[in-house]
Amino acid sequence: MERKVGTISRGIRCPIIREGDNLVDIAVTSIMEAAESEPFSLRDKDVIALTESIVARSQGNYVTVEDIADDVRAKLGGGTIGVIFPILSRNRFAICLKGIAMGAKKVVLMLSYPSDEVGNALLTYDQLDEAGINPYSDVLTLEKYRELFGENKHEFTNVDYVEYYSDIIKEAGAEVEIIFANQAKTILDYTDCVLTCDIHTRKRTKRLLKEAGAKIVCGMDDILTAPINGSGYNAKYGLLGSNKSTEDKVKLFPRECQDLVEAIQLEVKKLTGKQVEVMVYGDGAFKDPQGKIWELADPVVSPAFTNGLIGTPNELKLKYLADNDFSDLRGEELKEAISKSIKEKQGSLVGHMASQGTTPRQLTDLLGSLCDLTSGSGDKGTPIILVQGYFDNFTD
């Protein structure tokens, strides 16, 4: 009988991970035990995915607010610092802001509006239109913002992030001034020492600031790139991708973990004879239609993956073939014709009409989104995901 099930994504339960735990053993053992309990069998081209969180936890990759303050002070001088384009997040940025403020005498906080980089809204475009404000050119003081728009709380968290971030800075012992602007060089009217906190636009922002004459420009990816007093670190991403751990500590994005994914792949091969692919994943790359929030607050979806996950899908659109090339066929004849087209496809299908709409994104971004949605971010207890049948097609 032909297979009737395509892609399956399973959340795999495993022990709570602590620093120093052997993730290779834990991941492989957890999957093998799950396979016995279901039951199911591993196949070639299955994908084993681990959340970045358990990888960083096993590495002990944590830093304190004091560590952040020390590095910020050393790299930005400890005086008046412009902190620009942060995302609005208690989990992602608030504790980092506490450390940043502890390393400065004054923070000029410049918030993008009407929303941050990943879509968390301070305001709506309707509010801007009604007030006659042009977000591409107008700079608002805190006083003008409050006069025009009053208090605005986040749709999902019910937090007024303007007040929240202001309080964090003051409680950390620094003066605070808040402005609202979308042009990076605006901050240079207030200070020439700038920490830019945007994620995916950071390279351009740094370039614009340097070209405009900034004295010191750092990004979040320049802070904690090396250990401070024995702390964790991330040489490539610094504070980017960090998450709140406690009120005074953050967990960084995992350090180099290519060896980990390759070791898991090798161990599964030894035990089962199957050639699986393995990846570490963080945020998925998708957007919430209700809150308009883009999920990807990590610098990348996947910081490490085995070679079989390099590239993009190369697929034909079945409904295009059915509605165009084979519109006169039905039933078994239609199935056979489409199957033949799939088997005979050669080379890249980019630009081919029959492949339009087939999501030609990076495999790791697509798989990471699937895994992120499967594992969730709460109490499911499944930080390892097994994806089966992802690389199958209609003919398998």
Side-chain angles (χ1 to χ4, degrees):
M1 181 178 178
E2 67 177 307
R3 282 172 53 189
K4 292 296 184 180
V5 178
T7 301
I8 299 171
S9 180
R10 286 185 173 92
I12 306 296
R13 291 181 177 174
C14 75
I16 303 299
I17 304 301
R18 295 294 190 188
E19 181 177 354
D21 284 349
N22 188 324
L23 271 190
V24 176
D25 288 347
I26 290 172
V28 174
T29 298
S30 297
I31 288 173
M32 299 307 292
E33 290 177 349
E36 290 180 10
S37 68
E38 276 295 296
F40 58 84
S41 299
L42 292 181
R43 308 171 191 155
D44 289 327
K45 296 298 290 183
D46 284 355
V47 179
I48 297 171
L50 291 74
T51 63
E52 58 82 19
S53 177
I54 64 171
V55 178
R57 286 171 65 85
S58 71
Q59 294 174 341
N61 206 16
Y62 295 87
V63 299
T64 66
V65 290
E66 288 82 6
D67 298 328
I68 296 172
D70 287 346
D71 209 22
V72 166
R73 193 179 298 111
K75 290 175 178 173
L76 288 127
T80 298
I81 297 173
V83 177
I84 72 172
F85 302 153
I87 63 173
L88 307 176
S89 172
R90 295 169 296 176
N91 175 47
R92 289 288 192 171
F93 188 72
I95 306 303
C96 292
L97 179 60
K98 181 178 179 179
I100 292 165
M102 288 169 59
K105 291 181 179 179
K106 178 178 179 179
V107 171
V108 181
L109 182 66
M110 191 171 90
L111 301 174
S112 55
Y113 74 98
S115 66
D116 68 12
E117 178 186 5
V118 297
N120 293 292
L122 285 173
L123 304 165
T124 66
Y125 278 101
D126 289 335
Q127 286 176 290
L128 296 183
D129 293 342
E130 184 177 343
I133 295 297
N134 182 346
Y136 302 102
S137 60
D138 292 343
V139 178
L140 305 177
T141 63
L142 177 60
E143 293 71 26
K144 189 64 175 178
Y145 170 87
R146 291 300 190 195
E147 175 191 332
L148 292 172
F149 306 113
E151 180 183 70
N152 292 272
K153 294 185 177 181
H154 192 282
E155 179 179 5
F156 295 148
T157 66
N158 201 37
V159 172
D160 179 347
Y161 278 96
V162 177
E163 180 180 23
Y164 179 51
Y165 279 3
S166 176
D167 288 345
I168 287 173
I169 294 168
K170 287 184 287 187
E171 289 169 6
E175 297 178 50
V176 58
E177 182 175 0
I178 298 180
I179 59 174
F180 304 80
N182 291 310
Q183 300 295 329
K185 65 182 180 181
T186 299
I187 194 64
L188 300 182
D189 294 333
Y190 301 82
T191 179
D192 57 4
C193 297
V194 185
L195 176 62
T196 181
C197 302
D198 46 346
I199 305 162
H200 307 292
T201 55
R202 64 188 185 276
K203 291 182 180 179
R204 177 175 183 265
T205 300
K206 290 180 188 181
R207 174 178 60 79
L208 292 173
L209 287 167
K210 290 174 182 177
E211 289 174 353
K215 178 182 176 182
I216 301 174
V217 178
C218 288
M220 292 278 280
D221 56 336
D222 299 310
I223 306 299
L224 269 302
T225 54
I228 301 294
N229 302 318
S231 72
Y233 68 97
N234 190 304
K236 187 173 184 179
Y237 297 119
L239 283 176
L240 287 181
S242 61
N243 285 272
K244 177 180 178 180
S245 175
T246 71
E247 294 303 320
D248 294 297
K249 185 186 292 186
V250 297
K251 176 195 66 59
L252 299 180
F253 211 49
R255 296 193 293 270
E256 173 58 45
C257 45
Q258 188 64 32
D259 289 349
L260 170 68
V261 297
E262 291 176 359
I264 292 173
Q265 182 184 55
L266 181 61
E267 187 63 21
V268 171
K269 181 77 169 181
K270 289 178 181 178
L271 290 174
T272 68
K274 302 301 180 182
Q275 182 72 13
V276 300
E277 303 299 338
V278 186
M279 63 182 285
V280 175
Y281 71 96
D283 286 337
F286 52 85
K287 186 173 182 177
D288 167 49
Q290 173 64 31
K292 309 298 187 294
I293 298 169
W294 185 33
E295 174 68 11
L296 187 57
D298 287 326
V300 291
V301 173
S302 177
F305 47 88
T306 50
N307 287 340
L309 299 180
I310 296 172
T312 61
N314 195 45
E315 302 172 340
L316 292 169
K317 196 78 166 179
L318 298 193
K319 66 182 181 181
Y320 180 90
L321 293 175
D323 291 346
N324 292 273
D325 296 34
F326 309 121
S327 59
D328 58 331
L329 301 180
R330 296 290 186 276
E332 193 63 28
E333 283 187 304
L334 176 59
K335 178 181 177 181
E336 290 179 1
I338 289 179
S339 296
K340 186 173 184 292
S341 294
I342 293 173
K343 290 176 180 178
E344 292 178 350
K345 66 182 181 183
Q346 294 181 349
S348 173
L349 297 174
V350 174
H352 194 293
M353 286 299 291
S355 71
Q356 61 184 343
T358 54
T359 321
R361 291 156 52 194
Q362 294 295 318
L363 290 168
T364 49
D365 292 345
L366 294 165
L367 281 161
S369 298
L370 173 61
C371 292
D372 189 26
L373 289 167
T374 303
S375 60
S377 57
D379 57 9
K380 286 182 169 50
T382 57
I384 299 173
I385 305 299
L386 175 66
V387 180
Q388 296 188 294
Y390 189 81
F391 294 99
D392 291 355
N393 61 43
F394 187 63
T395 68
D396 295 313

